[in-house]
Amino acid sequence: MSTEHTPLLTPGVCGLTVGMAVCGMATEATPESGSGTGTPNKEPRKLNTFFGVMVPTILSMFSIVLFLRTGFVIGHAGLLQGLLMLFVAYTIVSLTILSICAISTNGAVQGGGAYYMISRSLGPEFGGSIGLMFFLAKVCACGVYVLGLVEAILDIFGLDPESSVSEGLRVLPQSYWYTVLYATVVLLLCLLVCLVGAHIYAHTAFIILLVVTVTLLSIFISPLAVKPRDFVITHQGPDNKTYHYNVSYTGFNATTLRNNLGPLYSLDYSTNSVMSFAPVFAVMFTSCTGIMAGANMSGELKTPSVSIPKGTILAVFYTFTVYLLLFILVSSTCDRALLIQDYGFFQRINIWPPFVTIGIYCASLSAAMSSMIGASRILHALALDQLFGLPLAPAAIKSNSGNPWVAVVYTWALAQCVVFAGQLNAIAGLVTVFYLLAYAAVDLACLALEWASAPNFRPTFQVFSWHTCLLGIVSCLVMMFVINPVYSSASIILLLLLLLFLHYRSPTSSWGYISQALIFHQVRKYLLMLDVRKDHVKFWRPQVLLMVANPRSSCQLILFVNQLKKGGLFVLGHVQLGDLDILPSDPVQQQYNFWLSLVDKLGVKAFVDLTLSHSVRQGTQHLLRITGLGGMKPNTLVLGFYDSCTPEDFFLQDTAFCESSMGTDSDGEYNFGVDLPSLQAHFPPVRHVESPRWLTPEEYVGIVSDAIKMNKNVCLGRYFFQLEGEGKDSKIDGAERTIDVWPLNLLHPSSCDYVDVCSLFLLQMACVLNMSNRWRHARMRIFLNVETESSDQGWVVNEETFRDLLRKLRIRASIKIVPWDCVVQHYGCRQNQLEEEDSTKPTQALSEEFLSAVNSLLMEHSSQAAVRFLYLPRPPAHSSQSQQYLAQLEAVTHSLGPTLLIHGVTPVTCTDL
């Protein structure tokens, strides 16, 4: 528990680290993981905003689209649709960037980039699933960039399709398998560079950016220096025929610009398929998939909270400006046929063609390495958080310099599988869909944080709102299905499967769950709307406070009441005896985790409320008054029976409390730091016969009396340790069970009213139990006690009236008529019976013969029932009668089996619509 000596800020985020039992304790986990350490981060962080964010983001966004697909986009879509695609793509990107900036400036960002931000915002299930999807997107993007580089290499060095003889520099044979071979060699080169480390790449990337910038300048200058010219381009067609195209470069020309304004979707020579808006946009959007390149380097940044937003925004603005100018330049200077038939046309129209060649090679190679490094960092963070278990466990291994080399090898192997696609355009749609899904997740994370209204969500970046987040989510999802409905549906299904897997597999994290903040926000609003003044008997449901002295002997009763609540409130209450004035701290606060872990182990849907009091009776009064909130407050008190039976230890019987049922992890993250041995040790052994009792008979009966005075219904449960089949793993469906209901007050034979408030409450509770999952197939029997030998035969009319009432109440039950003349004759004179109903007088002592006769009657008719519902008489007003009252109840229920004695004080049935 936190004290005034606990540090306000731990230098890391507590997570899933082996060997850690409590969040905030020192561990031996790697600081880069972000998965929870109590030790300062010792990893050197070397990169600033420019080298760590701007440079990799710019290079990733330029990649191969800048040099090899600008003509493809303008040629097929035209300038106007090309600009529309550019604005749509950058609008989606900009909305996502606002969310990234908000999240990254709301706290310390560790290694893992986008995965770290999503997982720490939305929790392990959503974060882990989206993290893996984002990793796959990065892997596919790496394959795209490598295939683009191979395409550029073959444009210069590939053999002419019409000739099998090498001519000049064209010495490389071309075919599908040769393309895969060249891509494999390029990937090996990327692997070697990435194994050296991200720091060397980051500084090398600056040199690459200089080269790309020089290439761009040469492209913008070339129309001023290069005169118009014509070319002949040759392609291998889909029918293995060779096609020749006459194309031209016109320089700045108004006619060329006018001809290039509209779309002209035609055959793509690289895939031999006809293009449309969706595939062209998918290819163009790959230029926008690098916005998280800087965020993925978060583990190497000096100040990620400052560098990520600043560097990303500047990089996106710069790349947008370059693409906008380049689209206009190309549309004004190049014939459409040139743009469609030669994706590498920049080399043909440059003042010095090697400029473009070097720029393409550098941009493609750096984008591929950036994707490989980014993907490996995401995979490394996933492995450190142990969300996917053994398959990713080796990816947590790092070199002495901190480079996750195993994760790099994993990434390289998967990227090698991607290059078997053979063509860049063939997998561009899949890459775009994966990225859009990841961007939608980032927007969702920011939206959830904003909607949760958590006081600790105070990002220093304020240029965002829930409107931008929601618009970003919608736009990403819409564009996903516009690009490729099949890929989009498959990716969402994969995401849902990963969510389910992590939900059932992942251990508890200490990252914080955004779902809890959202639930709190909504529940508070709905609780305020739940007006107790609008309560109606038609919608009544049991809201139960079950007082538990020791769960070891009460688990079966807890499980039974869980079936009895019918979707209502269920609270486990416990009174700790003590005086806070003489204690250094409140002992109750430290017990909540143990009780909540007990609730988890039993699988019941219950809250826990504990209190400290001088006596059990006073503590129960406190709980009855203050438990719950608004319209959700207990209306029924359930107590175990007060008798001399030796309780049984349920912990020794249920397999859920055996060591073999627990997971193998020793980190204590199951049940929030409460493992099975500590759970068993917390609750004391069950009481022995000679052990002193904390509760006297007078106090116990006083609790019952207090609850009735507070207008609470009361239930006393006896022999529920004999009830079987209530565990969460039980296969019993209730078909062989019987529920017996005795609605008459058996201790007062003169009260022949079967339809008073208490009797109807008894019927309602039995009906509620019969509607629960484990009891829905059980048979319910109602026993009517009649004096058949009496001269007054009114019981026949009463029986018909009662049957009619059951029909009106829609209660399906069989009615059993039980003559009990032989029992009533032991009761006493009738003139004394009237006096007994005056609760202000001492209760008349019932004879042992009468009590024994009632017990025998119950044994005769209900011995085989699974559970019995009996009428609980009102407790005596004088405390001197408490032991006598309990003795009567004990005698009547002796050896019956699971029995619930019920006294209802509130109307709960309704026959109207």
Side-chain angles (χ1 to χ4, degrees):
M1 300 298 291
S2 298
T3 68
E4 66 270 22
H5 303 295
T6 304
L8 271 177
L9 297 174
T10 55
V13 179
C14 204
L16 306 176
T17 312
V18 175
M20 180 177 61
V22 180
C23 182
M25 294 181 64
T27 67
E28 297 178 0
T30 306
E32 182 185 314
S33 70
S35 59
T37 71
T39 56
N41 194 333
K42 300 296 183 182
E43 289 292 335
R45 291 172 174 262
K46 303 178 180 179
L47 302 181
N48 58 20
T49 301
F50 183 75
F51 288 106
V53 180
M54 282 191 66
V55 171
T57 301
I58 291 172
L59 288 176
S60 295
M61 296 187 73
F62 280 162
S63 62
I64 47 93
V65 175
L66 180 69
F67 298 115
L68 292 182
R69 288 299 180 268
T70 299
F72 169 82
V73 173
I74 299 299
H76 287 286
L79 176 61
L80 296 181
Q81 284 197 14
L83 291 177
L84 174 65
M85 293 179 183
L86 185 67
F87 279 106
V88 169
Y90 270 82
T91 298
I92 295 174
V93 165
S94 300
L95 293 172
T96 305
I97 288 173
L98 297 181
S99 300
I100 293 173
C101 295
I103 296 175
S104 62
T105 59
N106 191 52
V109 180
Q110 304 296 327
Y115 159 70
Y116 183 90
M117 291 188 285
I118 296 172
S119 62
R120 269 51 176 185
S121 299
L122 298 184
E125 294 93 347
F126 209 98
S129 55
I130 284 293
L132 190 61
M133 297 289 287
F134 194 50
F135 165 74
L136 294 176
K138 280 286 181 183
V139 169
C140 292
C142 181
V144 166
Y145 300 145
V146 168
L147 289 174
L149 177 58
V150 171
E151 180 182 313
I153 293 173
L154 292 178
D155 279 346
I156 303 297
F157 302 103
L159 285 175
D160 193 290
E162 290 187 321
S163 173
S164 58
V165 181
S166 302
E167 298 179 4
L169 297 176
R170 292 185 171 273
V171 294
L172 298 179
Q174 299 190 55
S175 70
Y176 167 78
W177 288 109
Y178 276 114
T179 300
V180 173
L181 175 63
Y182 304 147
T184 301
V185 174
V186 173
L187 268 178
L188 283 173
L189 176 62
C190 294
L191 173 66
L192 293 175
V193 174
C194 293
L195 287 176
V196 173
H199 307 304
I200 295 179
Y201 161 73
H203 288 90
T204 307
F206 175 64
I207 300 175
I208 297 175
L209 179 61
L210 290 177
V211 173
V212 171
T213 303
V214 170
T215 303
L216 279 173
L217 290 174
S218 72
I219 290 175
F220 285 115
I221 293 172
S222 292
L224 303 177
V226 178
K227 296 180 180 181
R229 60 184 65 175
D230 297 325
F231 309 100
V232 176
I233 299 175
T234 304
H235 287 310
Q236 194 80 25
D239 49 0
N240 290 325
K241 292 183 179 180
T242 301
Y243 292 87
H244 301 276
Y245 301 92
N246 294 316
V247 298
S248 60
Y249 164 73
T250 64
F252 286 109
N253 188 291
T255 303
T256 303
L257 177 62
R258 188 164 49 251
N259 292 336
N260 287 333
L261 289 179
L264 185 63
Y265 295 106
S266 56
L267 190 73
D268 170 29
Y269 69 82
S270 66
T271 59
N272 291 321
S273 58
V274 178
M275 291 292 99
S276 63
F277 181 90
V280 173
F281 179 80
V283 172
M284 208 281 312
F285 194 82
T286 56
S287 66
C288 303
T289 56
I291 61 171
M292 292 189 183
N296 292 331
M297 302 290 288
S298 58
E300 284 84 16
L301 296 174
K302 292 179 182 177
T303 54
S305 297
V306 174
S307 299
I308 291 175
K310 182 179 178 182
T312 305
I313 291 174
L314 290 174
V316 168
F317 180 77
Y318 174 72
T319 56
F320 174 78
T321 303
V322 170
Y323 275 116
L324 181 63
L325 295 176
L326 202 58
F327 277 20
I328 297 173
L329 173 71
V330 169
S331 302
S332 305
T333 58
C334 297
D335 176 59
R336 187 184 292 271
L338 172 62
L339 302 179
I340 292 177
Q341 301 302 332
D342 185 9
Y343 300 152
F345 70 96
F346 278 129
Q347 300 173 52
R348 297 178 183 268
I349 63 173
N350 199 270
I351 53 176
W352 191 52
F355 266 143
V356 178
T357 303
I358 296 171
I360 292 174
Y361 294 170
C362 289
S364 301
L365 193 61
S366 68
M369 289 188 291
S370 176
S371 295
M372 183 174 287
I373 290 176
S376 65
R377 281 359 182 223
I378 295 172
L379 186 65
H380 179 62
L382 282 167
L384 287 172
D385 288 339
Q386 303 175 359
L387 295 183
F388 292 93
L390 289 177
L392 297 188
I397 300 173
K398 298 193 305 182
S399 64
N400 293 332
S401 62
N403 188 29
W405 64 273
V406 177
V408 173
V409 173
Y410 268 53
T411 305
W412 166 79
L414 290 175
Q416 180 63 55
C417 297
V418 173
V419 300
F420 280 100
Q423 285 295 336
L424 183 157
N425 290 4
I427 55 174
L430 180 63
V431 175
T432 301
V433 165
F434 275 161
Y435 270 106
L436 284 171
L437 190 60
Y439 293 168
V442 174
D443 289 323
L444 178 62
C446 190
L447 177 67
L449 289 169
E450 179 71 8
W451 274 354
S453 300
N456 281 323
F457 183 57
R458 301 189 296 271
T460 56
F461 183 86
Q462 293 291 324
V463 189
F464 78 101
S465 71
W466 69 266
H467 303 85
T468 62
C469 300
L470 186 60
L471 183 60
I473 295 171
V474 172
S475 57
C476 286
L477 294 178
V478 169
M479 291 312 302
M480 280 174 58
F481 283 92
V482 168
I483 290 168
N484 195 310
V486 176
Y487 286 163
S488 301
S489 301
S491 62
I492 291 174
I493 291 173
L494 177 60
L495 174 65
L496 294 176
L497 291 175
L498 290 171
L499 273 170
L500 290 174
F501 170 77
L502 289 176
H503 177 72
Y504 288 107
R505 188 259 170 222
S506 66
T508 305
S509 78
S510 302
W511 306 339
Y513 293 82
I514 189 62
S515 59
Q516 295 298 303
L518 291 172
I519 289 170
F520 177 88
H521 187 67
Q522 293 302 112
V523 167
R524 181 190 62 85
K525 291 199 301 186
Y526 287 121
L527 275 175
L528 290 171
M529 296 168 61
L530 190 61
D531 193 341
V532 294
R533 297 168 296 182
K534 298 179 182 179
D535 281 348
H536 194 278
V537 67
K538 287 190 297 186
F539 307 110
W540 181 92
R541 65 181 73 230
Q543 305 204 82
V544 182
L545 171 63
L546 171 60
M547 297 302 299
V548 179
N550 189 347
R552 286 181 176 271
S553 57
S554 306
C555 287
Q556 291 288 42
L557 183 58
I558 294 172
L559 293 169
F560 175 76
V561 175
N562 187 57
Q563 296 290 319
L564 196 63
K565 69 181 186 302
K566 187 54 181 173
L569 181 69
F570 180 23
V571 181
L572 298 183
H574 175 73
V575 179
Q576 174 80 30
L577 295 180
D579 185 357
L580 194 59
D581 289 339
I582 62 175
L583 294 172
S585 63
D586 185 4
V588 167
Q589 298 302 318
Q590 303 170 5
Q591 298 184 29
Y592 271 98
N593 269 6
F594 294 98
W595 283 85
L596 291 172
S597 297
L598 172 74
V599 167
D600 293 339
K601 292 295 290 180
L602 293 176
V604 297
K605 297 177 181 179
F607 297 95
V608 173
D609 213 346
L610 312 178
T611 189
L612 184 71
S613 181
H614 298 286
S615 68
V616 176
R617 180 178 181 181
Q618 187 183 58
T620 305
Q621 288 181 13
H622 293 166
L623 292 178
L624 282 171
R625 292 184 188 279
I626 66 175
T627 294
L629 200 62
M632 295 190 67
K633 296 183 75 69
N635 55 31
T636 303
L637 174 68
V638 180
L639 302 171
F641 196 78
Y642 191 96
D643 57 19
S644 57
C645 292
T646 304
E648 297 188 18
D649 193 339
F650 184 79
F651 284 13
L652 301 178
Q653 303 172 10
D654 194 336
T655 56
F657 293 91
C658 298
E659 286 284 355
S660 59
S661 69
M662 292 294 290
T664 56
D665 278 14
S666 59
D667 58 4
E669 289 294 350
Y670 288 94
N671 296 321
F672 294 86
V674 179
D675 57 9
L676 184 59
S678 61
L679 180 66
Q680 292 177 329
H682 176 75
F683 298 110
V686 296
R687 173 182 53 83
H688 297 290
V689 178
E690 59 275 4
S691 301
R693 308 189 65 154
W694 295 104
L695 196 62
T696 64
E698 291 76 16
E699 194 174 9
Y700 179 83
V701 176
I703 292 173
V704 176
S705 180
D706 293 341
I708 295 174
K709 290 177 183 178
M710 298 168 71
N711 203 37
K712 307 292 185 184
N713 310 294
V714 179
C715 302
L716 308 181
R718 190 178 192 192
Y719 293 124
F720 275 91
F721 62 86
Q722 299 177 7
L723 186 64
E724 298 180 353
E726 291 300 294
K728 59 183 178 181
D729 298 325
S730 173
K731 303 276 197 264
I732 294 178
D733 62 355
E736 303 300 324
R737 289 176 164 181
T738 304
I739 304 170
D740 284 357
V741 183
W742 297 78
L744 186 67
N745 188 348
L746 299 179
L747 297 185
H748 292 273
S750 61
S751 58
C752 297
D753 189 3
Y754 290 99
V755 292
D756 67 352
V757 171
C758 188
S759 298
L760 291 177
F761 184 83
L762 203 72
L763 291 172
Q764 181 80 337
M765 295 298 283
C767 184
V768 167
L769 179 65
N770 203 191
M771 296 168 69
S772 64
N773 292 333
R774 299 277 169 79
W775 295 82
R776 68 173 65 252
H777 299 296
R779 293 177 295 113
M780 188 162 70
R781 302 186 301 177
I782 301 175
F783 293 89
L784 301 184
N785 304 73
V786 300
E787 297 180 52
T788 56
E789 298 178 4
S790 172
S791 57
D792 180 11
Q793 294 298 307
W795 65 269
V796 179
V797 179
N798 290 340
E799 179 194 351
E800 288 303 319
T801 303
F802 190 75
R803 289 183 184 273
D804 184 58
L805 176 65
L806 290 185
R807 283 193 294 271
K808 290 180 179 179
L809 295 176
R810 291 88 61 202
I811 296 177
R812 293 191 298 269
S814 60
I815 297 178
K816 306 293 183 182
I817 303 300
V818 181
W820 71 329
D821 302 83
C822 58
V823 176
V824 174
Q825 68 183 1
H826 296 291
Y827 182 65
C829 300
R830 289 187 178 272
Q831 57 267 29
N832 293 332
Q833 295 168 359
L834 297 175
E835 298 176 355
E836 294 169 6
E837 297 186 15
D838 185 358
S839 62
T840 61
K841 298 180 180 180
T843 303
Q844 176 185 351
L846 300 175
S847 65
E848 291 185 8
E849 291 81 5
F850 173 71
L851 297 173
S852 177
V854 173
N855 179 254
S856 299
L857 182 72
L858 293 171
M859 291 290 292
E860 178 184 352
H861 294 280
S862 290
S863 59
Q864 300 303 315
V867 67
R868 301 142 199 86
F869 287 74
L870 303 184
Y871 191 116
L872 175 67
R874 192 179 187 91
H878 302 279
S879 60
S880 59
Q881 302 294 315
S882 297
Q883 293 196 19
Q884 177 182 304
Y885 176 75
L886 288 177
Q888 293 172 2
L889 298 180
E890 184 172 2
V892 168
T893 58
H894 180 67
S895 301
L896 269 185
T899 303
L900 203 64
L901 294 149
I902 299 177
H903 187 91
V905 295
T906 56
V908 294
T909 57
C910 181
T911 58
D912 298 328
L913 285 175

